[in-house]
Amino acid sequence: MDRWQWYPSEVRAWLGVLWGKSAGKAGGKVNLLLSHMLDTAAVAEVIWDCYLPQVTRWQLDAVAGGPGRGRRLFSWLCGIHDLGKATPAFQRLDAAGEAAVRGVGLSWDKYAVNGATWRHDKAGGRLLRVLLERAGWVQEQVDWVWPLVAGHHGLFPTVGQLAPKKVDLQGKGPSWKLVQAVLVEVFSRELGYEGGSPLAGVEPALVPSRAVQLQLSGFVVMADWIASDELHFKGEPDLARVTMPRARQRASAAWSKLGLRGGWGQLTVPGPEVFQDRFGHGPRPSQELVLDVVRRMGGPGLVIVEAPMGEGKTKTALVAAEVLAARFGAGGVFLGMPTQATADPMFTQLRAWLGNIDKVEDGLDGQVALLHGKRMFNKEWRGLLEGTGEWGQDADARYSSVGVDEFGMPADCFDGCEGGERRAPAEWFLGRRRGLLSPFAVGTIDQLLFAATRTKHVMLRMAGLVGKVVILDEVHAADVYMSQFLLEGLWWLGQAGVPVVLLSATLPPEQRRRLAAAYLAGTRSAEASETLDVPESDGYPSVTAVWSGQDGRTESLVKSTDSWRADLTVRVEVLGEPPARSGTLPDGTDGRPDTVVVDYLRERLVDGGCALVIRNTVDRAQSTFDALHEEFGSEVRLLHGRLHAGHRADRTQEVLKLLGPPTAGTVRPHRLIVVATQLAEQSFDVDADLLITDLAPMDLLLQRIGRLHRHDGVVRPRLLSRPVVAVTGIHLADRSAPQILGASEKIYGRYLLLRTAAEVERAAGAADGAWSIPGQVPPLVADVYGPGPVVPAEWAEAETEARKEWEERQAERRAKAAQYVLTRAGEHAAPTLEGLHFGAHSRLAEGGFEALVRDGDRSLEVVLVHRIGEDGFHAVTGRRLGPNGEVTAELLDDVLSGTVRLPAKLTAAAEEALGPLAGWRDHPWLQYSPALELDENGEAVLGDFRLRYDDLLGLVVSGGPAHR
């Protein structure tokens, strides 16, 4: 059938010159607009066939009107995105293109158009609204489709923003209106929509949820970016060669060359032997409980697993993800960890787990992306990229054809490098904003939080999450500011029907309710409710699962069981600090608090033993280490965040080896003292005979106690046969409110510390003087975080004052986060994406996303180097660099090992004074890394501060404005 039979003869000439990619951005030949639209539609078909998770195909089939219909609608939605380029505002942007367009009779008032701006995404949204309404679409279908076009460059405008300042920019006169309408009709016919009004046949049957709309928008962007790769989609200026079959050939070849692939296809629900198959051992009772619950859930939902440290929650979550994916059609997994340090070992574990799954397709363990700002430091990640010709460090270097117009889009890149066998996700997935699109991903929880921000290209992040099973570990670690983004993210995941597994050792009941309420509110497209009709667990470990039933009512399963280990009776003692005249203890770096610790350990470790000392600040940890090192010498180790990466990695590995699970051939030290900061709270699998810790809120204090007598089969000295925690950073006197370390109050607030101190004092003063762990974990956390009375009557006034201050601070932080969360207050029931980005933060500097979702003072990482006279620079390992700091491949690890994070008080001075070495400016890993040059004594001056790197203490900071 002649596709031109429906239209006047001149239309063919018009469509033969309307360009979508200029010759300079399409491999030397112009790419016609219809060609690019069909290329994008063909890419979308490949995405459907080879990438989309099963659940997304189910959802889009339903939107399109039934099984088998979703693929063509999906292709159409992706391909129609650049309709707005059929306007004078765009066609005048390339001189050769403009001349060709004018040459066939499509003209405009150049005085009205030249110099004015009108974005083609908004132009497309405006055009599509008119054309869909003219084709007879019902308004609710028009309303959700046009934002996909208007927002395909990252921001969703309001309807009011779809009006150009001058009508000439959009196309004035009957010729422009005709060519725009015919472009859409011809495009639609090429995809198989026929009849006198093919556009009428495109109309969907159902309006998808806003979360699915956002996911769809992400795939529109994905298809556009792939089809804009000039390496694989050369320009096509001959309209006769612009057909859907040819576009399909181009798309298939490009997909194969790019090495892109999806995750799981059709999974079968694993049987009872799954733990043995995956991990080489059977499940514990709590693990069996979780698997039983996820097998019984009536729909995709939220699963909250609460279990003691060392219970095997991560393994449980991975197997639960298999069950949930098989049951509900998910195609992959995102595993979010609290920190970069905890994400790295999970990357290894997730790859090993995938390698043990009997899959329909092999190689999924090579489809895991590591997503955090310092993944270049991970040797396993770098090793997977070596030999491919890419390294993934600059996956945006060659891409240039998206954003040739008025947006100034940043460059993006596509694979095309020749190299060795790929053992990591395709390079395309490694570019900016695209990491979550990898079938499997491990990163910090920030990756989920970013997807809940009102920022540019948020749809790409959401497209990477929807269709996966999402696992978040240590969720109790999210403070009130981060929690606003976490709750928003759960709302969107709930609306999209994404199975989510949350892990925590110690979750306050109110936090559990808020998390569940946010997810369930998403399933109802409503604002989160303050009340939630879900029963509380009466045991520990426990699992709480909630989902929305077919009638919209909340359904739940709440179960508990016994831990695999018997409770430990942990003796609680208070190791008081010397009192201060003020109501708050000083930071305690003058040596007096350390004397108390030294005396205590001298007595307790007389027969040997391994002690863990946790301080709340680096300065305090360094001071304590100094004092203990003077007494115990080489039997003391120090771990904190101000060690450079090499020292920190080596010491962490050493401590894990010495105090980790007993293995054949390892000998536990006769005596060892590890001084650490909060690094020891999370994912730190060591066993201490004795714990000394600064006071912290109850949930964190219990996390630290989880390192006590953690492993079976450890031979302990007689004096340390019973686990003991000694709490410091506090001074209890008479019955008055305690003095608490000032630095601790700055970090955690006085209110929760007071309530925790009351529980500590109560336990220390009791006849048995102990807590039963983990059995008492839930009630201890509930009491401290709950509204009931906890503190003695004599502390009541101090508690009331502290609570008022705490509530004010919490409200301030919630209000601050509300400026940036994806959905504005009161708009969760909105049916479409129109105006989603109103008031958005579209451009953020390097590190801006991290600052957006994490409240607090910014800090900066630098790379330490030694300047040695006229000899140039040495890495911290002593190896010589080039005269300007040049780094060869074999020296990269030596240089990166010098990375250290400065305290926040140095950020302003460091940003002003530091930058990369001259020899780093073209290095893909180091070009943005500021160098801190140390002299021959290991010292440097930064503003008013003096810095010294000590091989034992790490970075020592002194001076400052007050010391001038």
Side-chain angles (χ1 to χ4, degrees):
M1 181 183 292
D2 182 5
R3 60 180 173 175
W4 305 110
Q5 64 176 310
W6 308 90
Y7 313 112
S9 58
E10 63 268 23
V11 169
R12 189 169 183 173
W14 292 344
L15 291 183
V17 294
L18 286 180
W19 61 276
K21 304 290 179 184
S22 65
K25 301 297 184 181
K29 295 186 295 184
V30 69
N31 200 28
L32 294 180
L33 177 54
L34 180 60
S35 174
H36 174 62
M37 292 169 66
L38 291 178
D39 284 341
T40 307
V43 168
E45 290 183 344
V46 182
I47 291 174
W48 178 283
D49 295 338
C50 303
Y51 177 82
L52 285 192
Q54 189 176 45
V55 63
T56 301
R57 295 197 296 268
W58 292 340
Q59 291 169 333
L60 294 182
D61 273 345
V63 169
R69 297 190 177 193
R71 184 175 184 267
R72 185 165 57 173
L73 176 62
F74 177 69
S75 175
W76 188 91
L77 290 170
C78 291
I80 201 67
H81 73 287
D82 263 353
L83 166 65
K85 289 184 176 179
T87 57
F90 182 86
Q91 294 298 310
R92 57 95 180 175
L93 291 174
D94 178 74
E98 177 182 1
V101 172
R102 286 182 172 276
V104 296
L106 284 174
S107 62
W108 57 85
D109 181 351
K110 65 179 182 179
Y111 297 104
V113 172
N114 291 356
T117 59
W118 179 229
R119 299 171 57 104
H120 78 256
D121 51 358
K122 291 182 181 179
R126 180 180 177 87
L127 282 174
L128 196 59
R129 286 188 74 221
V130 172
L131 294 174
L132 296 182
E133 289 172 357
R134 187 182 301 165
W137 282 34
V138 298
Q139 195 61 48
E140 66 176 2
Q141 300 293 353
V142 175
D143 289 345
W144 79 263
V145 169
W146 72 256
L148 302 185
V149 170
H152 81 268
H153 274 281
L155 299 170
F156 295 105
T158 63
V159 170
Q161 293 173 311
L162 296 186
K165 292 182 179 179
K166 301 177 181 178
V167 68
D168 302 77
L169 295 167
Q170 189 77 2
K172 188 176 180 181
S175 296
W176 278 107
K177 288 181 172 56
L178 178 59
V179 75
Q180 290 162 349
V182 172
L183 173 66
V184 175
E185 282 204 7
V186 171
F187 167 75
S188 301
R189 292 185 191 279
E190 284 291 328
L191 267 62
Y193 294 103
E194 296 293 349
S197 178
L199 195 53
V202 180
E203 184 175 14
L206 299 174
V207 176
S209 70
R210 201 160 58 134
V212 171
Q213 293 173 36
L214 192 59
Q215 179 195 25
L216 263 175
S217 176
F219 290 136
V220 171
V221 176
M222 179 180 179
D224 179 25
W225 285 9
I226 293 174
S228 297
D229 175 12
E230 62 192 78
L231 294 178
H232 303 113
F233 293 88
K234 301 292 186 184
E236 180 50 76
D238 184 356
L239 185 62
R241 290 168 54 84
V242 177
T243 65
M244 194 61 186
R246 189 161 184 272
R248 287 175 177 133
Q249 292 176 357
R250 285 152 64 95
S252 178
W255 186 270
S256 176
K257 182 64 176 177
L258 288 167
L260 302 175
R261 63 169 294 176
W264 286 315
Q266 177 67 51
L267 278 181
T268 57
V269 178
E273 71 288 344
V274 61
F275 255 87
Q276 187 68 44
D277 292 344
R278 302 295 180 264
F279 307 114
H281 61 78
R284 292 168 176 166
S286 64
Q287 295 169 328
E288 285 186 306
L289 178 71
V290 173
L291 295 186
D292 176 64
V293 167
V294 297
R295 286 190 174 104
R296 293 168 54 195
M297 290 173 66
L302 177 71
V303 181
I304 302 175
V305 179
E306 297 175 74
M309 297 68 75
E311 190 76 14
K313 294 188 292 294
T314 304
K315 290 181 179 179
T316 307
L318 292 176
V319 177
E322 274 190 70
V323 175
L324 293 167
R327 295 192 62 209
F328 304 120
V333 171
F334 168 67
L335 175 55
M337 302 298 294
T339 64
Q340 295 175 2
T342 54
D344 283 345
M346 286 302 108
F347 174 66
T348 301
Q349 187 168 338
L350 186 66
R351 294 187 68 242
W353 164 67
L354 284 171
N356 287 333
I357 294 178
D358 293 325
K359 312 173 286 295
V360 177
E361 298 177 82
D362 292 329
L364 288 183
D365 57 339
Q367 298 300 309
V368 184
L370 179 60
L371 304 178
H372 62 67
K374 296 300 174 184
R375 64 182 177 183
M376 63 182 178
F377 297 128
N378 185 289
K379 293 182 180 179
E380 181 179 3
W381 174 253
R382 292 214 313 274
L384 293 173
L385 298 175
E386 288 175 356
T388 65
E390 300 149 4
W391 277 63
Q393 74 278 5
D394 194 13
D396 297 324
R398 300 190 310 275
Y399 176 81
S400 60
S401 56
V402 167
V404 306
D405 57 8
E406 64 271 32
F407 308 177
M409 285 277 292
D412 286 292
C413 132
F414 297 94
D415 188 8
C417 304
E418 300 295 336
E421 179 184 357
R422 172 162 289 286
R423 294 172 292 156
E427 183 190 11
W428 191 89
F429 288 133
L430 307 183
R432 283 187 293 271
R433 302 179 292 267
R434 302 196 289 268
L436 282 173
L437 291 167
S438 298
F440 301 91
V442 178
T444 59
I445 192 175
D446 299 46
Q447 298 297 324
L448 171 70
L449 305 184
F450 297 157
T453 60
R454 205 178 326 138
T455 49
K456 193 171 185 178
H457 287 112
V458 68
M459 67 281 289
L460 280 171
R461 302 181 190 278
M462 192 59 69
L465 289 171
V466 176
K468 288 184 171 70
V469 177
V470 173
I471 302 170
L472 302 177
D473 199 5
E474 310 271 15
V475 291
H476 62 272
D479 61 23
V480 66
Y481 182 86
M482 291 174 62
S483 289
Q484 306 313 301
F485 300 99
L486 175 57
L487 296 172
E488 177 73 0
L490 289 175
W491 188 96
W492 283 87
L493 296 180
Q495 190 183 57
V498 174
V500 178
V501 181
L502 305 182
L503 308 177
S504 179
T506 54
L507 198 60
E510 182 58 32
Q511 187 179 7
R512 185 191 313 115
R513 286 191 291 270
R514 284 197 302 268
L515 295 170
Y519 184 93
L520 290 169
T523 66
R524 298 189 298 271
S525 302
E527 300 294 331
S529 173
E530 294 295 326
T531 60
L532 183 66
D533 186 21
V534 173
E536 297 286 342
S537 170
D538 58 0
Y540 185 73
S542 69
V543 56
T544 302
V546 296
W547 64 95
S548 184
Q550 292 185 350
D551 59 359
R553 289 188 298 182
T554 297
E555 297 187 22
S556 65
L557 281 171
V558 180
K559 300 292 182 181
S560 63
T561 188
D562 295 327
S563 175
W564 68 283
R565 293 183 68 188
D567 277 2
L568 284 174
T569 302
V570 179
R571 180 170 178 78
V572 181
E573 300 179 355
V574 175
L575 198 58
E577 304 258 328
R581 292 183 178 180
S582 67
T584 301
L585 293 179
D587 288 350
T589 56
D590 59 0
R592 293 187 301 158
D594 300 326
T595 301
V596 177
V597 173
V598 171
D599 291 344
Y600 184 83
L601 289 177
R602 186 189 300 116
E603 177 182 342
R604 293 301 180 99
L605 302 183
V606 63
D607 295 328
C610 299
L612 175 63
V613 181
I614 301 180
R615 296 304 211 184
N616 286 344
T617 67
V618 172
D619 290 343
R620 190 165 159 89
Q622 289 173 328
S623 175
T624 300
F625 172 83
D626 252 345
L628 288 170
H629 188 258
E630 185 175 340
E631 175 75 20
F632 295 98
S634 61
E635 295 174 324
V636 189
R637 302 291 186 275
L638 177 62
L639 275 174
H640 57 71
R642 234 183 277 166
L643 295 168
H644 67 56
H647 281 162
R648 179 169 164 179
D650 290 345
R651 293 189 197 177
T652 300
Q653 185 176 12
E654 179 194 20
V655 172
L656 289 175
K657 181 178 180 180
L658 293 174
L659 300 183
T663 58
T666 61
V667 179
R668 190 172 171 92
H670 170 68
R671 183 184 291 107
L672 183 69
I673 303 170
V674 177
V675 181
T677 55
Q678 291 90 334
L679 296 178
E681 273 179 10
Q682 298 168 335
S683 302
F684 191 57
D685 190 11
V686 299
D687 177 298
D689 300 318
L690 173 67
L691 173 67
I692 299 175
T693 173
D694 282 343
L695 182 69
M698 180 58 76
D699 53 334
L700 303 181
L701 182 61
L702 291 169
Q703 284 281 107
R704 299 176 185 188
I705 290 174
R707 316 303 152 196
L708 270 175
H709 291 222
R710 185 181 179 96
H711 301 138
D712 291 333
V714 175
V715 179
R716 308 183 192 278
R718 180 183 56 83
L719 291 176
L720 303 177
S721 59
R722 180 182 181 185
V724 176
V725 55
V727 179
T728 58
I730 185 173
H731 176 71
L732 297 168
D734 303 321
R735 296 298 297 167
S736 59
Q739 294 183 17
I740 298 173
L741 188 69
S744 298
E745 291 191 359
K746 183 177 180 181
I747 297 169
Y748 303 116
R750 182 168 173 80
Y751 174 66
L752 292 177
L753 292 176
L754 269 178
R755 291 176 70 85
T756 302
E759 293 286 4
V760 168
E761 184 194 42
R762 185 174 297 111
D768 57 358
W771 287 332
S772 184
I773 304 296
Q776 276 187 263
V777 166
L780 285 170
V781 174
D783 287 346
V784 168
Y785 280 87
V790 171
V791 304
E794 294 83 356
W795 301 13
E797 184 177 349
E799 183 199 30
T800 299
E801 183 179 341
R803 181 179 179 85
K804 180 182 178 182
E805 181 180 336
W806 179 73
E807 289 177 339
E808 289 174 352
R809 177 60 178 150
Q810 298 289 87
E812 289 173 2
R813 298 177 76 190
R814 288 192 189 96
K816 181 180 177 182
Q819 304 173 62
Y820 309 113
V821 294
L822 183 52
T823 311
R824 293 183 298 276
E827 296 188 6
H828 282 102
T832 76
L833 299 174
E834 183 218 339
L836 180 67
H837 278 98
F838 184 79
H841 296 262
S842 59
R843 295 187 181 276
L844 293 173
E846 188 72 21
F849 276 106
E850 288 77 2
L852 201 64
V853 299
R854 289 183 182 261
D855 195 17
D857 298 329
R858 289 186 306 112
S859 60
L860 187 70
E861 282 191 327
V862 300
V863 179
L864 303 179
V865 295
H866 291 274
R867 176 177 280 281
I868 310 298
E870 300 298 322
D871 193 30
F873 299 98
H874 286 192
V876 293
T877 59
R879 298 186 69 183
R880 181 180 300 179
L881 310 182
N884 296 305
E886 293 87 352
V887 177
T888 58
E890 62 269 20
L891 286 175
L892 182 61
D893 280 342
D894 294 81
V895 174
L896 292 179
S897 69
T899 304
V900 66
R901 183 168 294 277
L902 301 178
K905 62 185 178 182
L906 298 183
T907 299
E911 289 179 335
E912 180 179 349
L914 303 182
L917 296 181
W920 295 359
R921 296 193 180 276
D922 294 323
H923 194 284
W925 296 93
L926 299 171
Q927 59 185 328
Y928 303 115
S929 299
L932 179 62
E933 299 178 23
L934 303 176
D935 62 22
E936 295 180 359
N937 297 316
E939 297 179 350
V941 175
L942 196 57
D944 295 314
F945 297 91
R946 296 195 63 83
L947 286 70
R948 172 175 60 90
Y949 193 86
D950 183 278
D951 284 343
L952 289 176
L953 294 174
L955 189 68
V956 180
V957 179
S958 58
H963 295 266
R964 288 177 179 171

